[in-house]
Amino acid sequence: MKRWLPLAVCVLHCLTLIYLARQHPFGTFATETDFYHFYAPDAERIAAGQFPQNTFQGPGYPATLALLGKLTGLGHDLFTLAKWLSVVCAVACGWLAFVLFARLFGFWVGVGAQLLLIASGEFPQFSLNAATDVFFLLLCLAALVAFLGERLTVRGRVAATAALTGAAYVTRYNGLFLLAAFVLGILLLDVFAQSWRVRGQLTALFVAVFLLTASPWLIANYRQHGSPLYNTNYLNLATEFYPELVKGKTNQDATRLLAERFHSFGDVLRHDPATLLKRYPENLWESLRRSANDTLANRWVTWLAWLGILLALWVKRSSAVLVVLLAAALYLLLMGLNHWETRYYFFLLAVYAGFAVFAVAQTFAWLRARGWLLQPAFAILPAGVVALLLILTLTQARQYVREFLDSHPQEILLARDYLQRAGINGKRIVARKPHLPYLSHNEWVFFPQVQTLDELRAWAESNPVDYLAVGKRELKERKKLSALGDPQKAPAWLQPVWVNEEPPLIIYRLALPAK
């Protein structure tokens, strides 16, 4: 009967997410900005046979959206498709966490890991997001489960893992941590208990399948940019290690500004290598410290996870356990090059969940082995502790989900409706966020980094645009243009055509005199 418990958790999890997802009709101003900026437009480009424009991530996620759009007929509503894809992936991530840790430490540890993962911190919130985060975690966990499984032959496991690793890399370039972890697992940890000759053959097979999976993108990237590995994540690296250049910002204002200074990873590394080397260990420690923040997992879960890692290395050390820990360590080392965002560390969350439950189970097993807590009633204590952790976790996660669902910028839909009624489409709209232009079938132009109305006019004279949208995000990021928040104070060359008072959102039509 107990074997049906993980499935029951999946069903309950799925029903809960369906209920919540129905309250999420369009993207918010947080991380779903990337959906309207990169993922949805790139999915449309890929479906039309065009090259994707996102240079920070590979095309794995938008290509999946494009394929699913054709298969489901939802190509016209990519947000809905992406939202439900995250729901499905989140449920699958819970199942994979169960499978992974049940294999490592037993059935009940697997169930506990499943429960803590799906309920922790911001993970439930991102289970509803039209974003890559849960999709990428699914690929990572699936790769680990395939690598450590026993149903396929050794070569079959290696090939399946390599294909999933290639898919992870094409989705997010930091998926390379899996490549390193699995190669080291084959060669040094000898997960498959083979001779050095066979280990070399398996490594060659792994690399070959990885390259075969990633090759369509590697070739296309080379033809487009001159390098199969081309990406612009060096701008994220620069924002983190040279914050003084962008006043500590890590958003688009920062990366767009730094794009004028840096044009490659080499440029970033050569700028100030001493500072970079000094700040990397500081940033790495800060990332580890912040991983104990409640937005990722309850602090008790994190502390127990660290204890569980020590206990596993002491009493449960195996090549499989070491592969998981190696993957987590490599992931942390890689992410130490980037700024902190909770969603970047969901892979670490999955590891924390499993080892935290293992710490609870192993501690009680140790106590019972020494003659303590032998009465039958005490047998349920480990489950009680995990249940308490789950309650604490759910309390925090519920708050994050509620704040997320309450953060929809409803004024965007009102403005979209106006533009549609007025027949305004195919126009160039300046805005800080891409939501309104995308939803109204117009072209988004990023709000320029100008400081005065005169600078804005000079920019507009050399950059033909049709409309300017000014809302709370624009007023927050362009404080010196606060006069645009009151249409009566706007200059004559900006004519307000639509106004929403609260939250503030004004659409101006540019009326510059012809030259």
Side-chain angles (χ1 to χ4, degrees):
M1 187 68 177
K2 74 175 186 179
R3 66 177 180 171
W4 296 103
L5 181 58
L7 181 59
V9 172
C10 287
V11 171
L12 181 60
H13 184 206
C14 185
L15 292 175
T16 301
L17 291 180
I18 289 173
Y19 170 75
L20 294 172
R22 292 172 66 86
Q23 303 174 51
H24 182 40
F26 66 101
T28 67
F29 277 155
T31 54
E32 284 172 318
T33 293
D34 287 343
F35 174 80
Y36 293 120
H37 181 193
F38 291 126
Y39 309 142
D42 271 356
E44 293 170 353
R45 293 184 186 105
I46 292 170
Q50 301 171 6
F51 194 84
Q53 298 300 307
N54 183 2
T55 56
F56 292 93
Q57 297 169 318
Y61 181 71
T64 301
L65 292 180
L67 176 61
L68 292 176
K70 287 187 176 295
L71 294 176
T72 63
L74 286 174
H76 65 287
D77 188 1
L78 290 172
F79 176 82
T80 297
L81 181 63
K83 174 181 69 174
W84 292 116
L85 176 61
S86 289
V87 167
V88 173
C89 288
V91 175
C93 283
W95 173 261
L96 289 170
F98 160 74
V99 173
L100 177 63
F101 287 101
R103 287 176 180 170
L104 293 179
F105 304 125
F107 178 87
W108 291 110
V109 173
V111 172
Q114 178 185 16
L115 290 169
L116 289 183
L117 170 62
I118 65 177
S120 286
E122 293 183 8
F123 186 78
Q125 166 188 333
F126 279 90
S127 300
L128 312 173
N129 260 241
T132 64
D133 305 281
V134 180
F135 179 76
F136 177 70
L137 177 62
L138 172 68
L139 294 172
C140 294
L141 292 178
L144 276 174
V145 168
F147 191 69
L148 301 177
E150 296 179 353
R151 293 188 177 182
L152 298 176
T153 64
V154 169
R155 282 176 170 76
R157 289 156 62 183
V158 169
T161 303
L164 289 165
T165 301
Y169 168 76
V170 173
T171 299
R172 281 186 174 178
Y173 294 127
N174 59 2
L176 279 177
F177 85 98
L178 289 172
L179 174 64
F182 292 133
V183 167
L184 292 173
I186 295 170
L187 286 176
L188 300 184
L189 299 180
D190 193 17
V191 170
F192 304 118
Q194 301 291 334
S195 67
W196 278 104
R197 182 178 64 83
V198 175
R199 283 186 242 176
Q201 293 172 349
L202 293 175
T203 301
L205 174 63
F206 183 92
V207 173
V209 175
F210 170 84
L211 291 175
L212 180 63
T213 303
S215 61
W217 173 240
L218 296 176
I219 294 170
N221 206 18
Y222 172 77
R223 290 176 175 173
Q224 183 73 14
H225 297 293
S227 169
L229 304 179
Y230 176 82
N231 66 85
T232 53
N233 283 296
Y234 57 84
L235 297 174
N236 290 324
L237 180 68
T239 63
E240 181 59 32
F241 288 94
Y242 309 130
E244 62 278 0
L245 299 179
V246 287
K247 299 179 180 180
K249 293 183 178 180
T250 58
N251 58 15
Q252 285 195 56
D253 286 312
T255 55
R256 288 171 183 265
L257 181 63
L258 290 176
E260 301 173 4
R261 178 189 291 257
F262 302 111
H263 303 93
S264 68
F265 282 97
D267 288 348
V268 175
L269 296 176
R270 287 188 294 267
H271 176 72
D272 191 347
T275 295
L276 195 149
L277 290 173
K278 173 180 177 294
R279 288 178 175 171
Y280 175 71
E282 296 173 355
N283 193 51
L284 185 63
W285 169 251
E286 180 66 10
S287 297
L288 184 61
R289 185 189 67 80
R290 294 186 71 169
S291 73
N293 190 298
D294 289 342
T295 60
L296 183 67
N298 181 273
R299 295 183 182 185
W300 284 103
V301 172
T302 305
W303 296 337
L304 282 169
W306 291 340
L307 173 61
I309 290 171
L310 294 176
L311 289 173
L313 291 174
W314 180 24
V315 299
K316 283 284 187 178
R317 186 169 62 248
S318 66
S319 58
V321 169
L322 291 176
V323 164
V324 174
L325 292 178
L326 176 63
L330 290 172
Y331 188 77
L332 184 63
L333 289 170
L334 182 60
M335 294 308 298
L337 297 171
N338 203 356
H339 64 274
W340 168 272
E341 285 191 37
T342 299
R343 63 195 180 99
Y344 294 164
Y345 289 81
F346 284 159
F347 179 75
L348 204 59
L349 168 62
V351 175
Y352 279 173
F355 280 92
V357 180
F358 170 71
V360 174
Q362 188 62 35
T363 298
F364 277 93
W366 183 83
L367 291 173
R368 290 172 69 85
R370 281 153 181 77
W372 297 359
L373 308 178
L374 294 178
Q375 293 82 355
F378 288 125
I380 65 170
L381 276 178
V385 172
V386 173
L388 177 60
L389 292 173
L390 181 62
I391 292 171
L392 293 173
T393 293
L394 279 171
T395 301
Q396 295 161 346
R398 182 175 180 273
Q399 174 187 345
Y400 299 138
V401 170
R402 181 45 53 196
E403 290 173 354
F404 168 69
L405 292 178
D406 289 342
S407 68
H408 290 90
Q410 299 294 339
E411 68 275 17
I412 293 295
L413 296 187
L414 298 175
R416 177 205 61 186
D417 293 343
Y418 159 75
L419 293 173
Q420 290 178 342
R421 288 195 306 271
I424 298 172
N425 58 73
K427 302 296 185 181
R428 289 167 58 84
I429 299 179
V430 178
R432 180 64 181 74
K433 295 284 186 175
H435 297 56
L436 178 59
Y438 180 86
L439 292 172
S440 60
H441 305 291
N442 287 285
E443 180 182 349
W444 178 46
V445 178
F446 185 74
F447 205 115
Q449 300 185 56
V450 295
Q451 300 298 318
T452 67
L453 289 174
D454 288 339
E455 290 181 8
L456 178 61
R457 175 168 180 160
W459 177 89
E461 287 175 344
S462 58
N463 294 271
V465 293
D466 301 293
Y467 293 89
L468 175 72
V470 177
K472 56 186 178 182
R473 300 301 300 185
E474 288 76 17
L475 294 172
K476 177 183 177 182
E477 298 294 338
R478 303 291 184 268
K479 292 183 174 61
K480 295 185 178 180
L481 301 180
S482 59
L484 295 179
D486 184 351
Q488 295 182 354
K489 297 180 180 179
W493 56 275
L494 287 176
Q495 299 179 356
V497 295
W498 184 84
V499 178
N500 190 70
E501 293 185 358
E502 189 58 38
L505 179 58
I506 306 162
I507 298 178
Y508 292 100
R509 184 176 64 83
L510 275 77
L512 291 169
K515 292 186 178 180

